[in-house]
Amino acid sequence: MLCLNSVQHYLIVWTFPTVEGAWESCPGFADYINAGGPGDKFEGFELKYRVCEPVSGSGVAIAVASDIGKVWAHLGPWIKGYGIQFEVTAVVSDAEFAAMWPGVEAAAAVA
């Protein structure tokens, strides 16, 4: 189990460059999901939530990881195998935001 203090949340948005590429990935993705998403959780990485929009060939996921390298390791096979394009953004949970806010507010008051 990952400890909240030792991980970063990541927002992952993906798109296929072509409709054909999205279509060609469907059997592999269905097999991956039916196998229980074997690459969705490993040491230092856990995919928390994923949704996809198959008509446009796009989707969104939330993951937690000890570092960006773990996110890249998870996405690598999809990039290499299907040419999927990913945008990865470090984000914070509501609890993390609430914990950070007093320090941010204090720093802003000094400026």
Side-chain angles (χ1 to χ4, degrees):
M1 181 56 75
L2 294 171
C3 174
L4 181 65
N5 294 329
S6 65
V7 297
Q8 173 68 55
H9 288 80
Y10 294 92
L11 171 65
I12 303 166
V13 179
W14 72 87
T15 57
F16 283 86
T18 66
V19 173
E20 293 81 11
W23 188 262
E24 290 169 4
S25 76
C26 290
F29 185 61
D31 289 345
Y32 179 81
I33 296 303
N34 289 331
D40 287 356
K41 186 175 182 179
F42 55 88
E43 183 65 36
F45 178 88
E46 184 174 354
L47 191 71
K48 293 293 195 177
Y49 198 78
R50 171 179 40 230
V51 294
C52 62
E53 200 293 280
V55 175
S56 70
S58 63
V60 176
I62 298 289
V64 293
S66 58
D67 62 78
I68 189 70
K70 301 291 184 176
V71 177
W72 195 8
H74 172 72
L75 301 179
W78 300 102
I79 296 167
K80 186 174 182 183
Y82 298 105
I84 302 171
Q85 298 171 342
F86 292 94
E87 290 183 29
V88 179
T89 305
V91 295
V92 296
S93 69
D94 291 350
E96 291 166 328
F97 173 84
M100 287 181 212
W101 175 243
V104 172
E105 185 177 34
V110 173

